[in-house]
Amino acid sequence: MEHTIKIQPLDPLMIRDGRPFGKTAGARAHTLDTVTPGVVAGTLRSLLRQEILNKDISVSTNKKGSPVSQITVRGPLYTLGESVYFPMPQDVGFYEPDASDQGAVTFLRRPVEEKEHQDEMGFGFLGTGVTGLHEDKLWPVQMPVELLKPLKSPPAYISADLMIRWLCDELNEEQWSKKVDSWGSTKQSSSFIEAFPKEIRTHTAIDETTYTAKDKQLFSTESLVLPPDLSFIAKFKTPEWLELTKDINQLHSFGGKRRLAHFQELTSTDCSEDIWTCPDAILQAVEKQTVTQQTTYLRMVLATPAFFSKGWIPGWLDEHLESTDKLKLDHQEQCPPLVKLKLRWACVPHWNAVSGWSYGAKKPKAVRRMAPAGSVYFFEVLEGDPVEFVRKFWLQSMSDRDRRLAFFDKEDGYGLATWGIWTPQKSKEDTQ
């Protein structure tokens, strides 16, 4: 049975990064910029173990413990009020206003298709170099002609309504600039959420005999301060042997320092299933492009960080950057792939260092580099049914399996992806 859980943090959250934090005077425990899927998955599984121990569920005697760690969890997504939010896609860039413009400058990052237009650009492949790896397979991308300063406080999260329009390739640079300008003046627009601010607390150790501060025991911690109404949404599926006798509705620790959050199960009346279903507008856009154009182009935008066995390149792409038989959902292993894709370009910012704590080994997990949420991969559909593919792979994990058995990235919700269409740039004049 599938369950959708709403997580409402009640305290600033401390989501530790991989930097060491020991008994050193002046040490600081740093936090990540957001909540990772591993934190959400681990907390939900701890909550389910608690349910088993409380004997509120029926479970066979040999199914306690480790099977709970393999329950598949999807999330987190963000909700503020009634709206769902996704990480900001990185194929749209915002820059400070120049001398001739009063508002923010927007630039859409798109690969250039034809070879003749690639030659007339006169510069190399962004991120791969003119003689770099895969330059004979990837298409170049056009960048702003003038040097511009990135916007100081760009939006970090985008509403589902605006994201759907973007995935349908409906927004141009002027529309983006107007929306960012209207949001930037007050930060009250429902279209975006700014990056979460961090709170720094200073602590000291207390001598139990004198009740005074110990010498050289000063340290500090960072925490994320979330908007009061912001919540996380996650979904998990319980196996047949694990039947919850009542809906989840309780307080539980979340993140470091055992900060509290309220966990509540959403019902069908809360439209919980709509969150995880591909919108009809995107399916119609993919179908329209498939019917009206010679080639279909799909975009994959990561909603959560993804582990790929080849670094920033998914392991389900071969040496020619074409998808292989690995591009399947777990329950479709016996079926042929729905589509064959070829990577044309990717917009991947600096990697995220993701670690965690292993309760089984009772030690920190190894730090790994992941493609950040918001990364965009541009594909050309070589064959297959893109409409059915997008319908089935919407918010499914595109992560690879780690060869080390300690990691369950696909089960933890890493690499959840949204899908949409894109159109290659035809010429330099189209972007000016």
Side-chain angles (χ1 to χ4, degrees):
M1 183 176 179
E2 294 186 331
H3 307 263
T4 297
I5 303 296
K6 181 179 181 180
I7 305 171
Q8 174 72 59
L10 304 179
D11 296 313
L13 296 179
M14 184 177 174
I15 312 297
R16 286 281 312 282
D17 61 7
R19 279 176 277 192
F21 178 63
K23 294 182 178 179
T24 304
R28 174 175 295 181
H30 296 267
T31 185
L32 296 172
D33 295 330
T34 187
V35 177
T36 60
V39 173
V40 175
T43 305
L44 288 176
R45 290 171 186 143
S46 297
L47 194 149
L48 292 175
R49 287 193 184 94
Q50 196 175 70
E51 290 289 320
I52 294 175
L53 295 176
N54 291 338
K55 298 180 179 180
D56 286 333
I57 59 175
S58 60
V59 56
S60 60
T61 55
N62 61 346
K63 289 293 184 181
K64 292 183 178 180
S66 59
V68 176
S69 64
Q70 298 180 20
I71 291 176
T72 300
V73 179
R74 295 163 66 189
L77 303 180
Y78 308 83
T79 62
L80 186 62
E82 300 296 328
S83 300
V84 177
Y85 288 80
F86 295 94
M88 195 69 199
Q90 296 299 309
D91 57 342
V92 54
F94 302 111
Y95 301 89
E96 292 289 337
D98 55 19
S100 59
D101 194 347
Q102 300 300 318
V105 178
T106 302
F107 190 85
L108 308 184
R109 303 176 179 120
R110 286 285 182 275
V112 179
E113 181 183 11
E114 286 90 353
K115 186 68 169 63
E116 58 269 24
H117 295 310
Q118 296 177 12
D119 293 338
E120 74 182 33
M121 290 173 62
F123 45 82
F125 294 74
L126 184 67
T128 57
V130 293
T131 59
L133 187 64
H134 303 306
E135 73 173 68
D136 56 332
K137 309 177 190 68
L138 295 176
W139 289 352
V141 61
Q142 199 153 10
M143 294 296 293
V145 177
E146 299 178 356
L147 291 178
L148 300 171
K149 291 183 178 180
L151 198 64
K152 290 181 179 178
S153 300
Y157 302 93
I158 179 175
S159 68
D161 292 340
L162 200 57
M163 184 70 170
I164 291 171
R165 291 185 62 191
W166 179 231
L167 292 174
C168 292
D169 214 14
E170 294 179 351
L171 297 172
N172 57 34
E173 294 176 348
E174 183 180 356
Q175 292 170 316
W176 273 113
S177 295
K178 288 182 179 178
K179 289 188 174 296
V180 170
D181 286 337
S182 62
W183 170 80
S185 57
T186 62
K187 299 289 192 295
Q188 298 298 319
S189 170
S190 60
S191 298
F192 304 108
I193 300 176
E194 61 181 335
F196 305 138
K198 294 180 180 178
E199 175 192 84
I200 298 177
R201 296 181 182 181
T202 302
H203 313 262
T204 188
I206 301 297
D207 190 320
E208 296 179 353
T209 58
T210 63
Y211 298 105
T212 59
K214 291 183 178 179
D215 191 25
K216 299 181 180 179
Q217 296 286 323
L218 207 62
F219 65 96
S220 59
T221 58
E222 280 184 350
S223 301
L224 290 176
V225 182
L226 308 180
D229 297 331
L230 187 134
S231 303
F232 301 101
I233 297 292
K235 184 177 185 178
F236 65 91
K237 183 178 181 180
T238 52
E240 294 180 357
W241 56 269
L242 183 58
E243 297 177 359
L244 298 179
T245 56
K246 60 181 180 181
D247 291 343
I248 294 175
N249 186 7
Q250 65 181 86
L251 295 177
H252 195 276
S253 59
F254 190 52
K257 294 293 182 183
R258 299 189 65 80
R259 306 281 170 79
L260 289 177
H262 182 237
F263 292 72
Q264 183 178 15
E265 185 164 349
L266 298 181
T267 63
S268 57
T269 57
D270 299 318
C271 301
S272 59
E273 195 56 36
D274 294 344
I275 299 172
W276 308 98
T277 305
C278 183
D280 291 337
I282 292 180
L283 295 176
Q284 293 168 4
V286 177
E287 185 175 13
K288 181 180 179 181
Q289 191 182 60
T290 304
V291 172
T292 59
Q293 298 188 19
Q294 188 174 4
T295 307
T296 303
Y297 298 97
L298 292 182
R299 259 186 300 171
M300 180 181 78
V301 184
L302 296 179
T304 58
F307 169 78
F308 293 132
S309 59
K310 300 178 183 177
W312 63 273
I313 301 177
W316 37 269
L317 297 179
D318 61 14
E319 66 274 16
H320 304 293
L321 301 183
E322 295 180 2
S323 61
T324 65
D325 291 345
K326 296 180 180 178
L327 184 58
K328 298 178 185 176
L329 299 178
D330 289 342
H331 64 277
Q332 295 179 325
E333 292 185 353
Q334 304 302 322
C335 303
L338 290 171
V339 294
K340 189 174 185 61
L341 305 176
K342 186 176 181 64
L343 182 67
R344 287 307 185 186
W345 191 61
C347 189
V348 184
H350 190 274
W351 46 266
N352 285 159
V354 177
S355 180
W357 180 263
S358 172
Y359 281 97
K362 299 188 183 306
K363 65 177 184 180
K365 294 180 180 178
V367 177
R368 297 180 301 153
R369 298 178 178 183
M370 292 196 177
S375 300
V376 185
Y377 290 76
F378 295 81
F379 294 101
E380 177 183 346
V381 180
L382 301 181
E383 59 183 54
D385 184 354
V387 179
E388 190 64 16
F389 173 80
V390 170
R391 186 198 310 278
K392 291 190 174 180
F393 280 74
W394 179 261
L395 287 179
Q396 297 291 336
S397 175
M398 305 307 295
S399 279
D400 298 325
R401 292 197 179 278
D402 198 301
R403 58 183 174 81
R404 292 171 288 191
L405 300 179
F407 299 102
F408 299 97
D409 297 316
K410 295 179 78 69
E411 291 81 0
D412 286 354
Y414 285 99
L416 298 188
T418 57
W419 296 84
I421 59 173
W422 63 283
T423 304
Q425 293 284 358
K426 296 297 183 183
S427 68
K428 187 183 296 184
E429 287 71 20
D430 291 343
T431 64
Q432 296 180 348

